[in-house]
Structure formats: C-alpha cells, structure tokens
Amino acid sequence: MSVPVVQFKNVSKIFDAGTPKAFTALKDVSFTVNDKPDHGEMIAILGPSGCGKSTLLNLIAGFASHLPVTEGEVLVRGNLVTGPGWDRGMIFQKYSSFPHLTVLKNVAFGLDMNRERLGLSRADVTTLAHDWIKRVGLAGHEHKYPKQLSGGQQQRVAIARTLAVRPSILLMDEPFSALDEPTRIDMQRLLVELWQDVEATVFIVTHSIQEAVFLGDRIWIMGTNPGHLAVEINDILPPSNGVDPAVAMTDPAYLQAIKIVGEEFERAAMGTS
Ligand code: ADP
C-alpha cells in the first residue's frame, strides 16, 4: 500500500487558542486520500460559510497563518506539513498572480524557481511558459499585466502558472466563484481537460452544488459549530470524464445527484449531520 497523498489524523484547529477570542474552526477532522496513479482524484468540498473549508485547504498548503494545528497531524505523502512546498499549488478566487509581472513572467516564474527539480534549461522555461499560455487560451496576451485581463483570463493565468510546475496536489479555493456563468462553465471545461494531463489530486472548495457534482469524484460536505466533515458522497456522482459541463447540466443523472447533494447540504447547514 503506498503512502496516502494527504492524511488528516484527528485534526483540530483553534484560532487564538488560550485567549478570549479562541475559536474552533475545525474539530477532530480525519480523512485519508490515497494516490490514484495515472488519474489523480478531484475532491469537491461544500459547506456553509465559516465551516472551515478554507482552513482545511490552508492547512494542506502549509500556510504560516494556519500552522501549527492545535491537535492532530496533517500529513502530505507521509510527512508532517510544516510549510508550503511546490508539490502543492493553490489557486484562490482572486489575486493568484503577481500583479507586477506580465502573463509570460507570471507563468515563467514558478518554472524558473523549479528549474532544477523539473530538469529544465532556461530556454525550456520560456518554451514551456508559452506552451501553457497557449493551452489555457491566452496566446497573444503574453505581455499584458493581470489587471489588463478579464476575471476569467486572470484565472487562466493562475491555472497556467500553477499547473506548469506540475504540483501533485492542487488546492482551489472557490476559483470560479467571481466569474459569470458562461465563463465559469468554460473554466470547468478547461480544468477537467488540463487535470487529465497533470494527474494531480485536486481539492476544490466551491459554493456551487452543480460545480461540485460535475467536478468531484467525491464530495465532502462540511458542517459548522465547530467545523467538521459531515458527509462524503461518491457513489451517486456521474462521471465527468469527456462530458461537457453545459451538457451535464441537462442530464437526468446529474440533476438527480444535484438534488441529493443539495439535501445533504441543507442538513449540514442546519446542523443535523
Ligand atoms: P469557510 O472557508 O468554510 O467559509 P474558513 O475556513 O475561512 O471558513 O473559516 C472558518 C472559521 O475560522 C471562520 O469563522 C473564520 O472567521 C475563522 N478564521 C479563519 N481564519 C482565521 C484566522 N486566521 N484567525 C482567526 N479566525 C479565523
């Protein structure tokens, strides 16, 4: 049995512990995500606001704002998480790119930092950066700055710069929430297409049940007071491989899954799961 990609062992996180402001964001969270070679896995995380979804992602990312955990262990490939690493890429709702760098330099930045690990020459970095820019549909925009791009295009830059360094874990915190519906569907299409190539394990926090059902191989629904993993759903989720998100939305199997997940979500939000 190989080492799990990510494992939480009885993790609790209390912010401002020991002070009057102490707040339990996560309580006794345990899960194991095993490696699925040649595939990766997409885990969609849903839950009411404030139930600790971002906290869970930030702990996997190893951000100093969230470490250490108060109790338990967060392990990535068997190692305790003590800080960020290039093996874990994070995409936020906004501002995932450097505002002072062009699209080309944004995408080349991570590749440059990882030249040795990835065995790249300087020329390879430029070639790969151009290649990723093309793959996310931004050819012709290489010399623009993020603020000169639309919200959807900015997320394309974030996806290119994050996936280019081939993280084995991709953490996405409501990456498409700020986008309009057609753009969001375009981004879902792009993510599925690229993910099949990168084969990363993906944790995606979303507030959209439809998005969770389309993207997730499994869905975790979190509950509040304090934040915990309430339910895991996988057996009713139709496969997304090769399915267009716009078409999926009219498929009875999807609509049925959306209904069931919606009911579980309601239950978690009301604190009854
Ligand atoms: P979600 O992503 O589910 O909306 P978060 O993980 O962002 O929830 O936050 C969970 C709870 O922890 C919230 O009540 C939030 O206010 C609190 N919290 C998050 N980060 C911090 C922090 N750095 N310091 C204090 N409280 C925090």
Side-chain angles (χ1 to χ4, degrees):
M1 188 73 189
S2 60
V3 181
V5 186
V6 182
Q7 196 170 22
F8 272 42
K9 291 186 181 170
N10 305 101
V11 171
S12 295
K13 176 67 196 179
I14 304 177
F15 288 108
D16 304 309
T19 76
K21 287 196 304 181
F23 182 83
T24 305
L26 288 180
K27 176 124 175 88
D28 198 20
V29 174
S30 294
F31 63 80
T32 300
V33 176
N34 288 310
D35 202 3
K36 290 207 170 160
D38 305 326
H39 175 58
E41 188 176 16
M42 206 159 327
I43 296 162
I45 305 175
L46 285 167
S49 182
C51 69
K53 302 181 294 298
S54 299
T55 301
L56 190 147
L57 286 200
N58 289 330
L59 287 173
I60 301 172
F63 292 145
S65 51
H66 287 67
L67 288 177
V69 293
T70 314
E71 276 172 34
E73 290 182 347
V74 175
L75 301 158
V76 168
R77 297 201 183 274
N79 298 312
L80 269 185
V81 171
T82 55
W86 287 103
D87 57 332
R88 285 155 282 150
M90 182 90 161
I91 297 177
F92 300 94
Q93 192 180 113
K94 282 184 166 183
Y95 312 122
S96 289
S97 301
F98 298 117
H100 61 292
L101 297 181
T102 61
V103 169
L104 182 61
K105 289 193 171 153
N106 258 295
V107 179
F109 178 82
L111 287 167
D112 220 15
M113 300 285 286
N114 283 274
R115 250 181 353 109
E116 270 181 39
R117 176 171 76 84
L118 298 169
L120 304 173
S121 67
R122 285 201 187 283
D124 292 336
V125 166
T126 309
T127 308
L128 261 180
H130 278 287
D131 184 40
W132 272 98
I133 289 167
K134 214 190 288 171
R135 290 177 76 176
V136 298
L138 287 179
H141 298 280
E142 291 82 355
H143 303 295
K144 289 187 180 165
Y145 289 88
K147 68 168 189 285
Q148 296 174 288
L149 303 173
S150 69
Q153 289 172 323
Q154 290 184 25
Q155 283 311 63
R156 287 172 189 269
V157 179
I159 288 173
R161 68 184 287 273
T162 308
L163 292 188
V165 298
R166 299 212 160 247
S168 64
I169 299 169
L170 179 60
L171 305 162
M172 306 183 89
D173 198 348
E174 303 220 13
F176 311 140
S177 298
L179 306 175
D180 57 52
E181 181 78 4
T183 310
R184 204 155 59 82
I185 287 178
D186 269 352
M187 300 304 289
Q188 291 172 1
R189 206 175 274 139
L190 178 71
L191 178 63
V192 169
E193 188 184 303
L194 297 177
W195 168 66
Q196 274 156 11
D197 172 35
V198 175
E199 293 165 6
T201 298
V202 181
F203 294 83
I204 178 166
V205 167
T206 172
H207 66 239
S208 160
I209 292 171
Q210 163 267 321
E211 187 162 276
V213 168
F214 178 70
L215 292 176
D217 289 311
R218 46 178 155 157
I219 295 177
W220 291 348
I221 299 181
M222 295 182 64
T224 42
N225 299 321
H228 62 283
L229 271 186
V231 191
E232 173 174 294
I233 298 172
N234 55 22
D235 46 0
I236 55 145
L237 299 176
S240 312
N241 206 342
V243 180
D244 191 86
V247 175
M249 293 318 128
T250 58
D251 179 320
Y254 274 91
L255 297 175
Q256 176 64 10
I258 287 169
K259 182 170 173 284
I260 294 170
V261 173
E263 286 163 4
E264 291 289 356
F265 185 104
E266 287 286 305
R267 215 167 287 150
M270 288 187 323
T272 52
S273 60

